[in-house]
Amino acid sequence: MSGMGSDHNNSSQEEYIPHYLQKEDPFASKLSREADIIAGFYLTIIGILSTLGNGYVLFMSSKRKKKLRPAEIMTVNLAVCDLGISVVGKPFSIISFFSHRWVFGWIGCRWYGWAGFFFGCGSLITMTAVSLDRYLKICHLSYGTWLKRHHAFICLAMIWAYATFWATVPFAGVGSYAPEPFGTSCTLDWWLAQASVAGQAFVLSILFFCLLFPTAVIVFSYVKIILKVKSSTKEVAHYDTRIQNSHILEMKLTKVAMLICAGFLLAWIPYAVVSVWSAFGRPDSVPVQFSVVPTLLAKSAAMYNPIIYQVIDCKLACCRSGGLKAKSSLKKSR
């Protein structure tokens, strides 16, 4: 019976034909022209806001580049990834949505898929590194004290190497990039999992090393931080003002990191769920009109981070000005 089941499974995998091979033109839009125009305007607005916001973050960071803390260096790298997605990737999809078809052929499709996955993976691994930095800084002070700027730059090199490896693996013959079911965008070929065991191994490896494992590290780090903060708030109150201010600043940076991670995961998890369902669910069970919504939501992730930076920055500025006023009044009273 098991032999018959495996034979049936193999035969079904061999018979499966992905959506981009079922029709002569895989790049023709499967949406209405009106839907494509709306999506094009949406991505244009997202792209402009993301480019301006992340460009501003990089500009302001460059003015104080020698004073950046390790955690701030990581957030600068996150802005680089978000800017890369906006500048390198979004123009391709915007032009294609307005053209009612993907106009850049297979070479452009593979380039767009690689760039999107490269910068997206770089963003997630950067946030993983930031969460670990916050975890060490808050929960293990003996380790946090030796995390210096050069450690951050070593970490950046490892992040870019990691993202380059996983984004380039599909070109080695174990995976591929392919058009989305709606035709006007490209992504990893999740549908290989329907075709062969090797395809399933490729998709599972991508899911584990580029989504599940980094997300688990992020969740673990912030859960431990929350527990630690609850237990140490009373202890910090007994320290002098300098230590209290340092603790407040570290907690502000931690809040920034938590909000950034939450925004990224909320934007990308729906797309990940749909991708996994496409890979391992019943073939073609995800409606084309439904598959475009998580894709557009994921493309908006690069816009949130500059907003988070500015909101927290305003609060930090208020705290600093309040602290300066308190110090000056203390000097006068003395």
Side-chain angles (χ1 to χ4, degrees):
M1 290 293 289
S2 62
M4 291 177 61
S6 61
D7 290 342
H8 175 72
N9 185 41
N10 291 334
S11 63
S12 65
Q13 287 180 343
E14 291 174 0
E15 292 172 0
Y16 174 72
I17 301 175
H19 62 88
Y20 51 86
L21 295 179
Q22 293 175 2
K23 298 180 180 180
E24 293 182 0
D25 188 359
F27 299 123
S29 176
K30 312 304 185 295
L31 304 173
S32 66
R33 185 171 291 277
E34 292 77 14
D36 276 337
I37 291 174
I38 292 172
F41 275 116
Y42 167 81
L43 287 181
T44 301
I45 295 171
I46 294 295
I48 292 173
L49 293 177
S50 175
T51 301
L52 293 176
N54 288 292
Y56 177 75
V57 170
L58 293 177
F59 172 73
M60 295 303 294
S61 299
S62 67
K63 296 175 69 174
R64 51 184 296 267
K65 55 186 176 182
K66 294 183 179 180
K67 298 180 180 180
L68 293 175
R69 294 162 167 253
E72 293 172 318
I73 293 172
M74 292 297 177
T75 55
V76 169
N77 190 62
L78 191 59
V80 171
C81 293
D82 291 340
L83 189 64
I85 292 174
S86 302
V87 173
V88 176
K90 282 190 173 60
F92 285 80
S93 53
I94 291 170
I95 292 170
S96 296
F97 273 115
F98 282 126
S99 302
H100 197 48
R101 62 173 288 107
W102 180 262
V103 297
F104 302 100
W106 277 104
I107 294 177
C109 180
R110 294 187 178 102
W111 159 251
Y112 176 84
W114 181 90
F117 184 50
F118 172 72
F119 288 115
C121 181
S123 294
L124 183 57
I125 303 304
T126 300
M127 285 185 283
T128 306
V130 170
S131 68
L132 284 174
D133 172 77
R134 297 292 85 206
Y135 168 69
L136 293 175
K137 207 78 172 179
I138 303 296
C139 300
H140 298 280
L141 295 177
S142 59
Y143 288 98
T145 52
W146 61 260
L147 286 174
K148 305 299 182 184
R149 284 168 57 91
H150 65 275
H151 295 119
F153 289 116
I154 293 172
C155 189
L156 290 184
M158 295 172 64
I159 290 169
W160 288 112
Y162 193 92
T164 301
F165 173 78
W166 285 108
T168 310
V169 159
F171 294 128
V174 296
S176 183
Y177 293 100
E180 299 266 18
F182 50 88
T184 47
S185 182
C186 294
T187 184
L188 278 168
D189 193 347
W190 302 103
W191 303 272
L192 285 174
Q194 299 279 357
S196 66
V197 175
Q200 292 176 356
F202 163 72
V203 170
L204 287 173
S205 298
I206 291 292
L207 285 173
F208 178 78
F209 289 104
C210 300
L211 179 63
L212 297 179
F213 178 67
T215 302
V217 173
I218 290 171
V219 172
F220 167 82
S221 298
Y222 289 124
V223 168
K224 296 292 286 184
I225 288 171
I226 291 170
L227 295 176
K228 180 68 175 179
V229 168
K230 284 185 176 181
S231 64
S232 63
T233 303
K234 293 181 180 179
E235 297 176 10
V236 175
H238 297 293
Y239 295 139
D240 60 31
T241 305
R242 185 176 58 84
I243 295 176
Q244 289 181 21
N245 289 339
S246 177
H247 179 75
I248 290 172
L249 180 58
E250 293 297 341
M251 291 312 303
K252 291 289 183 182
L253 292 172
T254 303
K255 287 178 181 178
V256 171
M258 291 178 70
L259 288 172
I260 289 170
C261 291
F264 184 91
L265 293 176
L266 287 174
W268 277 97
I269 283 177
Y271 178 77
V273 171
V274 171
S275 299
V276 171
W277 185 261
S278 300
F280 298 101
R282 188 166 53 84
D284 305 324
S285 59
V286 180
V288 173
Q289 291 77 10
F290 179 76
S291 66
V292 71
V293 176
T295 303
L296 294 177
L297 179 62
K299 293 179 186 298
S300 69
M303 181 186 67
Y304 307 144
N305 295 342
I307 299 173
I308 295 171
Y309 298 149
Q310 293 308 309
V311 171
I312 301 296
D313 230 19
C314 289
K315 291 184 177 180
L316 277 174
C318 292
C319 290
R320 285 168 186 154
S321 62
L324 288 173
K325 289 178 182 177
K327 285 181 181 178
S328 61
S329 63
L330 183 61
K331 287 180 180 178
K332 289 179 181 178
S333 65
R334 283 177 179 173

